[in-house]
Amino acid sequence: MHLRKKIYIALLSALAVSHAQAESKAEAIELKAVTVIGILPEKLESVPGSFTVVDEKEMEAKRPFSVKEALSNVAGINIVTSEDPMSLALNIGVRGNDPRRSARTLLLEDGMPLFLAPYGDPAAHYSTPLDRVQRIEVVKGSGQVLYGPQTVGGMINFVTKPVPKDGFAGSVSATIGNNDFTGLHANLGYGNERGGMMIDVLQKKGDGVRKNHEFDVQDFAIKGQLNLTDQHTLIAKASYYEEDSNVSETGLGVTEYARDKFQAPSGKNDTFEHERKSFQLQHIFQIADKVKLSTQAYYVDAWRSSFRQTDEPGGFSGANNATGFSVLERCPQPAGTAFTEVQAANCGGRHRPRSYDYWGIEPRLDFSHNLFGIASDAVIGFRYHEEDIKREQYRGNTALFQNLSYAQDNSLPREKILIDVEAKSYYGQNTFYMGDWAVTPGIRVEDIKTKTDIQRANGNAHTNPQSKLTNKQTKVLPGFGVAWNGIDNTTIFAGVHKGFAPPRPSRDIFAAGANTAVAGETKPEESTNWEIGVRSKYVKGVSLESTLFHTKLDDIVINRGGGTYENAGETAMAGLELAGRVDFGTIYDTSHNVYVTASYTNMFTAEFKKTSPVASHGVVSGERLPYAPRHIASINLGYQHPVGVDARIGVDYISRQEPHPSQRVLAPVDAALSGLAGDIPSYSLLNASVSYKPADSKASYFISAHNLADKQYLVTRIDGMFAGRERQVFGGIRYDF
């Protein structure tokens, strides 16, 4: 696999060099501008489904602290911030899907997948830093058949800033805030008609939500564009990301939470480290005015390792009654008492080092035609994708085991799992234009082969033999959408598509009737997604969108806790999304603009449709899905002044949520003390921001506050109770040149 990858990259480089040398001998030519448009087409009025674009202007006005704040005004999205300090590990749920690690939401950067492993471990421990993002595209409706593999909920694509075209350009910015937060960002580039290059450097650090939870993030990126001829363009991008955080992935028991909801006694020792290297190469061949062949190649090498000392919130272990106090991993501790930082410093714990290596190549042909006398835009493409995953776990009783190198040198891994994935995707879509109508049928075929090699050990001897399994799946995913544009600046749309989430690796599945995770063939999740809606700018200064949706999901995979999962049958999710913006300055033709933005989601259905035969699983027909709030709302009131002031104040609201099913059927003592059981109460957060950019000035100034009222609230019970972030205020200056 590695040899093929190196050969492929070498061939691409050789072709690019030879092509560039040949063209350098040619006479100067007039070049056409190349526009990278992300996952949304140029003709937005023909898109037969719901979508939202959060552009750079909106982000500059709102000054979001993290992705959570950037997407808070997008209908249908629920982002749960748990143990991570700055939404570094995204938990995004779309239309009632479980938000845990965004596993059912396809995350992309310029069309490249961002997960640790898109098929084998779709966990979002990384997202593109907002500082180098030009816009965020959110797609929830029909048209998802062009992308994959996660299409049960929706897609989010972070479109990075383009290379400058007219000489030197860039910016530098500095931010500072409470909780010891500091941020530095620099962007510098140069370009002309032949192309250009841009570098991006970022560092952010500060204190997390809980005590002893410092974080330090660095991101470096370089992006280049070479316009070889008026038909051929190369765009290359390489990035390096590094995170070093103190994070306790286990929450608190009820007694601990009541005493101090922000405590983390083992936080100084608990760590999360993440290193990610990526490379993306795009070749755009403009064959004719209406025929374009785009070929994308990508490669990602990621490593993450976590160390935790607590793995039993509130003393809950799944077999013993909870005590109300969390238990140190493999460390003597008096029963029913809270441990101290001194105890934690002298104890061991568990390491979870994991490495991920994946690459892919995807040629895609976009062309216009008049088949059967009907004007059409068509897309056909293919993607080949491979993954290598290595997951290990080490446990030790002494403080020496806090060092990963020591643990690896002095013990066998308690668990070692090797996962290989080979995925082939074929897709095609055609949009027929018939007067005011745009009709879009499409299809995607996912062909996946997953090999899992499992080996477990106890102490220094292997007690379980190796288990080698192969799981093959082929799924056909059709889609169909219609858009009607018979009213000025208005689109009425409807669509249906088959959604898909790959089967989890065999290590993670739980077989009915067994007491532990066992090896077996897991089923993928499949859904049928319907929606109908309207988006309109018919009234001057007013933009509105409303969507009614229904999703039927088969073989949903639920988290049972303890690293095991199960297929839990059918679920149904249905709701209404509303979003809009009113600019009174545009309505009344004045430069003083008062504006209102709002979004609301009513998830009136989000329930299991089948009762599990195993009572301890907690899956009961008619009960609410985990972390699927019935109501999500956001409203902002703002004012834009001609001198360059943009001020905004807003409220975000999340209604009551329920935990995972297995946490709802705990024994009475465990339910009362572990912190795992019980609802997550509703909460409202007050946010505000002010930015000022004087006319004819290259400098801009800003201040932003999230949870301005400093409300204390519970956000999740996954692995115990987690409090939401306290008030976060930060301000800064940015200079553009």
Side-chain angles (χ1 to χ4, degrees):
M1 182 178 296
H2 293 287
L3 180 59
R4 274 184 289 171
K5 180 167 50 189
K6 292 177 180 178
I7 293 174
Y8 172 71
I9 293 174
L11 285 173
L12 281 177
S13 301
L15 287 171
V17 170
S18 63
H19 198 163
Q21 290 174 342
E23 293 299 332
S24 67
K25 300 177 182 178
E27 297 181 359
I29 55 176
E30 183 179 353
L31 298 175
K32 298 180 181 180
V34 174
T35 303
V36 181
I37 61 173
I39 62 177
L40 287 171
E42 292 182 355
K43 298 179 181 178
L44 294 177
E45 69 277 3
S46 67
V47 176
S50 58
F51 67 86
T52 302
V53 177
V54 181
D55 59 23
E56 191 173 14
K57 182 179 179 181
E58 181 177 346
M59 287 189 285
E60 287 182 354
K62 196 172 184 179
R63 295 294 175 180
F65 184 68
S66 67
V67 174
K68 175 179 173 60
E69 289 78 28
L71 299 178
S72 64
N73 209 43
V74 178
I77 285 185
N78 179 31
I79 301 182
V80 176
T81 55
S82 54
E83 77 279 4
D84 58 288
M86 204 183 74
S87 294
L88 299 176
L90 286 178
N91 298 287
I92 302 177
V94 178
R95 292 180 172 177
N97 285 286
D98 189 350
R100 183 63 173 170
R101 296 291 183 256
S102 309
R104 294 185 184 90
T105 303
L106 180 62
L107 300 181
L108 305 168
E109 178 183 308
D110 295 330
M112 179 183 72
L114 288 180
F115 292 113
L116 288 175
Y119 289 86
D121 193 351
H125 280 282
Y126 168 85
S127 66
T128 310
L130 294 178
D131 305 77
R132 57 185 182 92
V133 170
Q134 183 186 52
R135 68 180 184 273
I136 305 174
E137 302 172 324
V138 182
V139 179
K140 293 168 286 184
S142 182
Q144 294 189 54
V145 295
L146 296 180
Y147 303 91
Q150 266 62 13
T151 54
V152 170
M155 303 182 295
I156 299 175
N157 184 40
F158 298 91
V159 181
T160 60
K161 296 176 182 179
V163 172
K165 297 180 181 179
D166 302 309
F168 284 102
S171 66
V172 292
S173 63
T175 55
I176 188 171
N178 65 317
N179 297 320
D180 289 334
F181 174 75
T182 59
L184 295 171
H185 175 248
N187 173 275
L188 176 64
Y190 175 83
N192 54 32
E193 70 278 1
R194 281 292 182 181
M197 183 173 291
M198 177 176 67
I199 60 173
D200 207 282
V201 180
L202 166 75
Q203 182 181 40
K204 291 184 178 181
K205 58 183 180 179
D207 293 337
V209 177
R210 297 164 67 183
K211 298 174 183 177
N212 301 322
H213 274 191
E214 292 80 12
F215 68 91
D216 189 347
V217 169
Q218 300 178 55
D219 186 87
F220 307 90
I222 182 169
K223 187 175 184 179
Q225 178 171 325
L226 179 60
N227 303 319
L228 298 168
T229 70
D230 60 344
Q231 291 181 294
H232 294 272
T233 300
L234 283 177
I235 301 175
K237 180 180 61 180
S239 67
Y240 175 82
Y241 170 85
E242 184 177 345
E243 175 190 348
D244 187 0
S245 301
N246 291 99
V247 173
S248 297
E249 294 183 278
T250 305
L252 300 173
V254 172
T255 306
E256 295 168 311
Y257 191 83
R259 290 183 177 182
D260 181 1
K261 55 179 59 66
F262 299 107
Q263 65 173 295
S266 63
K268 290 184 178 180
N269 306 318
D270 293 342
T271 60
F272 184 87
E273 299 174 90
H274 188 189
E275 184 180 45
R276 183 180 189 273
K277 293 169 280 188
S278 69
F279 177 74
Q280 185 177 13
L281 179 65
Q282 295 172 295
H283 174 249
I284 302 172
F285 179 17
Q286 195 71 44
I287 301 173
D289 286 341
K290 296 184 178 181
V291 182
K292 180 177 69 174
L293 175 64
S294 304
T295 303
Q296 173 181 238
Y298 55 85
Y299 168 63
V300 175
D301 179 6
W303 177 84
R304 55 134 291 189
S305 182
S306 63
F307 176 77
R308 66 165 71 173
Q309 289 192 300
T310 56
D311 205 48
E312 298 178 7
F316 176 77
S317 64
N320 302 314
N321 289 336
T323 62
F325 296 96
S326 296
V327 176
L328 281 170
E329 177 74 22
R330 298 184 174 274
C331 183
Q333 178 182 343
T337 62
F339 65 88
T340 65
E341 291 184 20
V342 174
Q343 284 178 301
N346 294 304
C347 292
R350 65 174 70 185
H351 289 277
R352 290 185 174 92
R354 299 175 183 179
S355 61
Y356 303 87
D357 186 75
Y358 66 83
W359 69 279
I361 180 171
E362 180 177 5
R364 164 175 161 161
L365 183 66
D366 293 70
F367 60 98
S368 299
H369 62 91
N370 288 282
L371 186 65
F372 305 121
I374 302 175
S376 302
D377 287 333
V379 179
I380 57 174
F382 164 77
R383 185 184 68 194
Y384 182 82
H385 176 98
E386 287 191 2
E387 297 175 7
D388 279 334
I389 304 171
K390 181 181 179 181
R391 295 165 48 173
E392 293 181 310
Q393 184 178 149
Y394 295 86
R395 299 185 187 184
N397 299 337
T398 68
L400 293 172
F401 270 82
Q402 294 182 23
N403 182 283
L404 176 59
S405 296
Y406 178 88
Q408 291 175 322
D409 292 340
N410 292 274
S411 67
L412 289 172
R414 177 185 176 90
E415 185 176 68
K416 181 178 181 180
I417 306 166
L418 305 177
I419 303 171
D420 291 329
V421 178
E422 181 183 51
K424 303 170 186 175
S425 305
Y426 314 82
Y427 57 86
Q429 179 176 282
N430 193 89
T431 300
F432 299 95
Y433 301 102
M434 296 172 287
D436 294 326
W437 295 87
V439 180
T440 307
I443 192 169
R444 183 181 188 87
V445 178
E446 287 277 358
D447 186 4
I448 308 166
K449 181 170 68 174
T450 303
K451 295 181 179 179
T452 307
D453 187 347
I454 306 170
Q455 189 170 358
R456 293 189 175 94
N458 184 9
N460 292 318
H462 292 291
T463 57
N464 294 339
Q466 282 193 335
S467 180
K468 297 184 178 181
L469 304 144
T470 299
N471 191 348
K472 296 181 180 180
Q473 303 280 347
T474 300
K475 296 297 176 183
V476 179
L477 310 169
F480 183 82
V482 177
W484 180 70
N485 296 280
I487 303 174
D488 290 344
N489 299 314
T490 300
T491 300
I492 298 175
F493 57 87
V496 58
H497 74 274
K498 195 77 172 177
F500 169 79
R504 295 193 66 90
S506 298
R507 147 65 175 84
D508 294 336
I509 204 64
F510 184 91
N515 294 319
T516 58
V518 298
E521 184 175 278
T522 71
K523 299 178 181 178
E525 295 173 305
E526 296 183 69
S527 66
T528 304
N529 302 57
W530 298 83
E531 69 171 7
I532 183 170
V534 57
R535 51 181 176 267
S536 177
K537 294 183 178 180
Y538 182 82
V539 178
K540 178 184 176 182
V542 179
S543 62
L544 298 170
E545 179 170 338
S546 176
T547 307
L548 184 67
F549 64 89
H550 179 272
T551 301
K552 174 181 171 293
L553 200 155
D554 297 323
D555 295 317
I556 187 174
V557 173
I558 64 167
N559 186 337
R560 298 188 62 259
T564 59
Y565 299 79
E566 69 165 327
N567 289 103
E570 182 181 328
T571 64
M573 296 164 281
L576 175 67
E577 297 171 349
L578 300 171
R581 175 175 175 129
V582 179
D583 288 280
F584 290 96
T586 303
I587 295 174
Y588 294 105
D589 293 319
T590 174
S591 57
H592 296 267
N593 182 37
V594 175
Y595 63 90
V596 177
T597 64
S599 65
Y600 170 67
T601 304
N602 185 339
M603 181 73 62
F604 46 78
T605 299
E607 63 184 22
F608 293 102
K609 304 297 289 185
K610 177 184 176 182
T611 298
S612 172
V614 183
S616 62
H617 294 185
V619 177
V620 178
S621 177
E623 287 201 354
R624 192 84 181 170
L625 294 176
Y627 298 93
R630 184 176 296 273
H631 305 286
I632 305 175
S634 177
I635 185 168
N636 295 271
L637 174 65
Y639 171 68
Q640 295 170 322
H641 191 279
V643 299
V645 172
D646 194 324
R648 174 198 63 89
I649 187 167
V651 177
D652 298 331
Y653 171 76
I654 302 290
S655 68
R656 180 182 63 86
Q657 303 170 78
E658 297 188 23
H660 288 105
S662 61
Q663 297 172 229
R664 306 175 196 176
V665 292
L666 296 175
V669 174
D670 297 330
L673 295 175
S674 68
L676 296 169
D679 295 341
I680 296 88
S682 64
Y683 59 88
S684 300
L685 301 179
L686 182 65
N687 310 301
S689 63
V690 178
S691 62
Y692 173 52
K693 186 174 184 179
D696 301 323
S697 173
K698 294 183 178 181
S700 57
Y701 312 87
F702 55 88
I703 185 170
S704 186
H706 303 282
N707 189 12
L708 188 59
D710 202 21
K711 181 180 180 64
Q712 295 187 359
Y713 59 103
L714 178 69
V715 290
T716 179
R717 291 182 182 272
I718 297 174
D719 292 329
M721 302 177 74
F722 288 89
R725 188 172 60 225
E726 299 174 280
R727 180 193 297 119
Q728 179 66 57
V729 181
F730 67 97
I733 182 173
R734 170 175 160 173
Y735 185 83
D736 296 284
F737 53 87

